[in-house]
């Protein structure tokens, strides 16, 4: 079997005709990922909203957005009837913004889905009550190398998966996100949540999690920025996340990858955006199957940033227009990722098993 040929075309869902987007928020992630992705995909951005009008106007000029406002109400009045709203704001203010959107609107909400499970439940209730077609922007699922990994696995060449490892040891400049300086929850909620969601997309909900998240003396002013999370999927699977954002030494030894092992093969996907952030390095996907002596390289077209953001928006738009019957990161699914996040924090707080005494 020609394995790469068997993978077929690897592409995230796209609408046949893209709907106009109303962008709410003008922060760094919008500048670095949302708007570059939409420009690359040819998704029209009709309006941009930010409480700092000057900031919004500067970003709108850069990306050719025709309308800018500092209020959601004004943007809603301006928006076309079929507009999709992209909400990219700190998690704490999401419950204040969603009620201002039109009932029944299509909405993409930047992760996380609130800062706690209780806030996630509140967001879910708002979406249900207003009839919003809402998805959370867990865009790692749509990164080109993650799509390629799924396509490679679906050929059957790797056999049954029994091991999945996420390993991140990098220097992350947390100072780029000022709102994180006072966040009580940091690493799991704002970073490893991507990997938790990715794990769930492969294996579903775990029976439970074991976790420990700790502060780094290199960033003592911040909440915990280093974590280990182990997922319980029974006695024949090893699945875990190890994340350290304080490795500020020779960049050559930094690592950022997801690795899967099956009975007859393995894959490793590099997440280049974490390496030397924000410049990053290219994403890739290596693989090996039984009988091969060397690892091969699967074709990967693009990177997590910004290409995955085309996937999360494209998936929502294709679903709204009835061109696909699945919305993988809907709020109904995302609440399950938030349940795992909450369990990880509870596990970390409760601690491990104390050593037993001996006579």
């Amino acid at each position: 079997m020609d394995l790469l040929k068997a993978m077929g075309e690897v592409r995230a869902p796209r609408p046949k005709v893209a709907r106009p987007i109303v962008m709410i928020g003008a922060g760094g992630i919008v500048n670095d990922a949302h708007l570059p992705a939409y420009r690359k995909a040819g998704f029209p951005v009709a309006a941009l909203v930010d409480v700092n009008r000057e900031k919004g106007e500067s970003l709108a000029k850069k990306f050719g957005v025709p309308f800018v406002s500092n209020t959601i109400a004004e943007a809603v009045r301006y928006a076309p009837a079929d507009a999709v709203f992209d909400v990219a704001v700190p998690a704490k203010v999401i419950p204040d913004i969603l009620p201002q959107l039109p009932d029944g609107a299509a909405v993409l909400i930047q992760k996380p889905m609130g800062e706690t499970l209780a806030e996630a439940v509140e967001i879910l209730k708002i979406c249900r009550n207003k009839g919003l077609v809402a998805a959370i922007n867990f865009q790692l699922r749509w990164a080109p190398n993650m799509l390629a990994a799924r396509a490679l696995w679906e050929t059957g060449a790797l056999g049954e998966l029994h091991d999945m490892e996420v390993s991140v040891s990098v220097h992350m400049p947390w100072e780029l996100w000022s709102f994180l300086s006072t966040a009580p929850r940091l690493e799991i909620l704002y970073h490893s949540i991507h990997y938790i969601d990715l794990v769930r997309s492969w294996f579903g909900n775990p029976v439970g999690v074991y976790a420990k998240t700790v502060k780094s003396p290199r960033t003592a002013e911040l909440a915990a920025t280093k974590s280990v999370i182990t997922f319980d999927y029974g006695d024949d699977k090893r699945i875990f996340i190890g994340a350290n954002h304080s490795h500020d030494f020779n960049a050559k030894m930094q690592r950022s990858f997801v690795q899967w092992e099956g009975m007859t093969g393995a894959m490793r996907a590099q997440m280049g955006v974490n390496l030397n952030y924000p410049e990053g390095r290219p994403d890739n996907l290596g693989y090996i199957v039984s009988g091969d002596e060397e690892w091969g390289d699967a074709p990967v077209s693009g990177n997590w940033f910004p290409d995955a953001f085309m996937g999360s928006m494209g998936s929502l738009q294709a679903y709204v227009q009835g061109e696909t019957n699945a919305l993988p990161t809907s709020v109904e699914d995302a609440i399950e990722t938030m349940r795992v996040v909450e369990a990880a924090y509870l596990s970390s707080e409760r601690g491990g098993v104390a050593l037993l005494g001996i006579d």
Side-chain angles (χ1 to χ4, degrees):
M1 176 179 65
D2 185 332
L3 189 55
L4 299 185
K5 186 176 180 180
M7 289 172 59
E9 183 182 7
V10 179
R11 188 184 182 192
R14 296 278 186 90
K16 293 177 181 177
V17 178
R19 295 188 176 197
I21 298 166
V22 174
M23 188 77 240
I24 300 176
I29 193 68
V30 176
N31 177 74
D32 297 341
H34 291 252
L35 295 182
Y38 302 157
R39 180 165 61 185
K40 186 174 181 178
F43 296 164
V45 180
L48 191 150
V49 185
D50 197 272
V51 291
N52 185 331
R53 190 181 188 97
E54 183 178 350
K55 185 178 180 181
E57 288 177 345
S58 175
L59 196 58
K61 182 178 180 181
K62 178 179 178 180
F63 287 94
V65 180
F67 181 85
V68 180
S69 176
N70 60 353
T71 71
I72 294 173
E74 186 180 16
V76 168
R77 289 194 297 270
Y78 171 84
D82 62 345
V84 175
F85 293 85
D86 187 353
V87 179
V89 298
K92 200 71 178 177
V93 299
I94 293 172
D96 297 327
I97 289 177
L98 294 181
Q100 301 179 59
L101 303 182
D103 290 352
V107 187
L108 183 64
I109 305 168
Q110 181 65 15
K111 64 80 190 167
M113 189 177 171
E115 293 186 335
T116 64
L117 181 59
E119 290 181 13
V121 170
E122 180 185 1
I123 290 169
L124 179 63
K125 289 179 178 178
I126 293 171
C127 292
R128 287 174 173 173
N129 291 339
K130 289 183 64 64
L132 301 178
V133 182
I136 301 298
N137 199 351
F138 285 133
Q139 76 287 141
L140 181 56
R141 294 192 188 201
W142 304 113
N145 60 346
M146 299 302 165
L147 294 173
R150 178 74 65 176
L152 187 59
W153 174 73
E154 288 177 348
T155 68
L158 275 65
E160 181 183 357
L161 295 179
H162 57 83
D163 200 282
M164 183 174 178
E165 170 184 351
V166 180
S167 182
V168 175
S169 182
V170 299
H171 170 67
M172 185 64 67
W174 296 110
E175 65 275 7
L176 295 178
W177 302 277
S178 58
F179 72 95
L180 293 180
S181 63
T182 57
R185 291 178 168 184
L186 207 169
E187 201 288 315
I188 296 176
L189 182 66
Y190 282 98
H191 189 89
S192 281
I193 190 171
H194 282 300
Y195 313 134
I196 291 172
D197 187 69
L198 186 70
V199 166
R200 284 192 56 253
S201 75
W202 282 85
F203 293 96
N205 282 353
V207 175
V209 295
Y210 312 90
K212 186 64 179 178
T213 186
V214 299
K215 298 181 70 168
S216 168
R218 288 178 171 269
T219 52
E221 72 283 3
L222 299 177
T225 58
K226 301 195 291 184
S227 306
V228 175
I229 308 169
T230 300
F231 299 78
D232 183 357
Y233 285 101
D235 295 334
D236 62 350
K237 292 181 176 63
R238 185 195 74 137
I239 300 172
F240 75 97
I241 298 166
N244 169 24
H245 297 275
S246 298
H247 186 82
D248 193 16
F249 297 98
N250 190 324
K252 181 179 178 181
M253 298 307 293
Q254 291 185 359
R255 60 182 183 272
S256 171
F257 65 80
V258 182
Q259 180 170 289
W260 300 260
E261 291 187 27
M263 295 297 291
T264 55
M267 306 180 290
R268 177 180 286 195
Q270 175 174 284
M271 299 173 291
V273 68
N274 293 328
L275 302 169
N276 194 31
Y277 191 92
E279 288 81 9
R281 298 178 190 165
D283 288 354
N284 59 41
L285 177 67
Y287 69 95
I288 190 167
V289 296
S290 296
D292 290 348
E293 295 184 0
E294 302 289 341
W295 284 67
D297 294 315
V300 173
S301 177
N303 294 318
W304 179 359
F305 280 47
D307 298 80
F309 290 73
M310 294 189 285
S312 47
M313 176 57 75
S315 170
L316 174 60
Q317 292 212 15
Y319 179 78
V320 169
Q321 294 178 187
E323 296 165 10
T324 178
N325 58 8
L327 185 59
T329 59
S330 71
V331 288
E332 301 291 343
D333 181 84
I335 194 71
E336 299 300 319
T337 293
M338 295 302 297
R339 289 179 65 207
V340 178
V341 167
E342 194 73 19
Y345 278 110
L346 289 175
S347 176
S348 184
E349 292 169 5
R350 292 172 180 175
V353 177
L355 302 186
L356 299 179
I358 56 174
D359 295 330

